[in-house]
Amino acid sequence: METYYNPADLKKFGNIGEWEENLAKKFFDWYGDVFKEGDLTAREKSLIALAVAHTIQCPYCIDAYTQDTLEKGVTEKAMMEAIHVAAAIRGGSSLVHGVQMMNKAKKISM
C-alpha cells in the first residue's frame, strides 16, 4: 500500500547530511547526547519521545519509538498511558486557548 510517508524513508534519516554535512553532524551529535543516560533513564527518554511523537504526529518517530520503547522493556499498557498523557496535554492546550477567545469576545462585546 502506498502512503505519503514511506516507512523505508526512516532508514534514510542519516542521509540528511548529504546536502549539509556540517549541520547534520551537529544535529546527530546533539541528538545522541540528548538520549544518553542522565537524570532520566534511556527507557524514560524513549517513552517521552514516543508521547511527543504522537503529539507532533510524526509517523517516522512513532514507528521508531514504538520499537525503541518495546526493546527497552516498556509495556504496551505503559506506552498507551503515555500517549493518553500527551493527548490530555494537547487537548488541554487547545482548551486553555479558549480563554484567549473569551477575552477577545468580551472585549469586542463591550
Side-chain angles (χ1 to χ4, degrees):
M1 181 169 119
E2 191 171 322
T3 66
Y4 185 78
Y5 291 99
N6 184 346
D9 285 345
L10 180 57
K11 290 181 171 57
K12 300 175 187 175
F13 187 32
N15 297 350
I16 64 166
E18 187 176 315
W19 292 355
E20 181 35 85
E21 185 177 347
N22 183 47
L23 292 176
K25 181 182 179 334
K26 288 178 182 185
F27 171 78
F28 286 119
D29 287 347
W30 170 74
Y31 192 90
D33 285 346
V34 165
F35 282 92
K36 287 181 182 173
E37 293 269 343
D39 286 347
L40 296 173
T41 65
R43 182 180 184 273
E44 291 167 330
K45 290 180 179 190
S46 184
L47 194 55
I48 291 167
L50 179 65
V52 170
H54 282 79
T55 303
I56 63 170
Q57 299 176 329
C58 174
Y60 299 115
C61 301
I62 291 168
D63 283 358
Y65 286 100
T66 296
Q67 180 173 341
D68 194 60
T69 54
L70 286 171
E71 288 173 356
K72 287 180 170 49
V74 177
T75 65
E76 292 168 347
K77 186 175 179 181
M79 291 164 59
M80 186 57 73
E81 187 174 338
I83 293 166
H84 276 277
V85 170
I89 296 300
R90 186 171 182 155
S93 176
S94 295
L95 289 170
V96 77
H97 279 82
V99 174
Q100 181 178 351
M101 175 275 300
M102 292 167 66
N103 291 339
K104 183 69 173 181
K106 288 176 183 177
K107 185 176 179 181
I108 292 170
S109 300
M110 295 179 120

